Amino acid sequence: MTDQSPATEEAVGKISAAFETIERARGALYTFHQLTGTADFALEEGIDALRRAGHHDLAADLERELLGRNVLPGRWTFQVVEDYDDTYYEVFREYVARARELTGGERHSWEARLKRQRRTPAEPGHELTPEHLPD
């Protein structure tokens, strides 16, 4: 069932905006994943440097206790990202798709309505779509 009413478009727009925030959160998780992995490799280099400098006990402690350590119980960062994807992100994405069915599948129907309302027709820089650009 398609419903192009302003109320439905606004509701779907809010759900889509929430999902955009989830996309940013997911990106932050990937940043967390990559930064943590980068730090682990840098730690390994530091441990090697400690050994070369003769600090074998501290190097051994760091290697045993911190190098390759879980960031959460039983999980490295890739597992955190995968669990987030499987238990939250994918479910959210599926519901966003269902909500968008209400507006004919259009991804930004609320924004598209705003663009139609706020643009100045026939004014350069206010074209409705790229297809409406002057030749």
Side-chain angles (χ1 to χ4, degrees), residues 4-67:
Q4 301 291 11
S5 72
T8 298
E9 284 185 342
E10 181 180 358
V12 173
K14 288 181 183 294
I15 291 167
S16 292
F19 187 64
E20 289 173 5
T21 303
I22 291 306
E23 290 283 13
R24 291 179 62 200
R26 185 171 182 249
L29 273 179
Y30 274 93
T31 298
F32 163 71
H33 164 58
Q34 292 172 347
L35 289 173
T36 303
T38 298
D40 195 61
F41 282 108
L43 174 63
E44 183 176 39
E45 292 176 8
I47 291 168
D48 291 343
L50 280 173
R51 278 202 182 94
R52 287 191 303 275
H55 305 285
H56 299 283
D57 289 344
L58 180 56
D61 289 348
L62 281 166
E63 186 172 55
R64 181 184 62 253
E65 294 293 329
L66 198 53
L67 189 67

Side-chain angles (χ1 to χ4, degrees), residues 85-117:
D85 278 353
D86 294 345
T87 62
Y88 190 74
Y89 175 82
E90 286 299 326
V91 175
F92 204 129
R93 189 178 66 76
E94 289 169 13
Y95 275 101
V96 168
R98 280 184 59 190
R100 287 178 180 159
E101 289 174 9
L102 296 175
T103 57
E106 189 173 18
R107 289 180 289 176
H108 291 91
S109 61
W110 185 70
E111 290 92 337
R113 179 185 292 272
L114 282 177
K115 182 174 185 177
R116 289 189 300 272
Q117 290 171 348

Side-chain angles (χ1 to χ4, degrees), residues 119-128 132 134:
R119 65 187 277 275
T120 304
E123 184 68 25
H126 288 256
E127 295 82 6
L128 189 58
H132 292 96

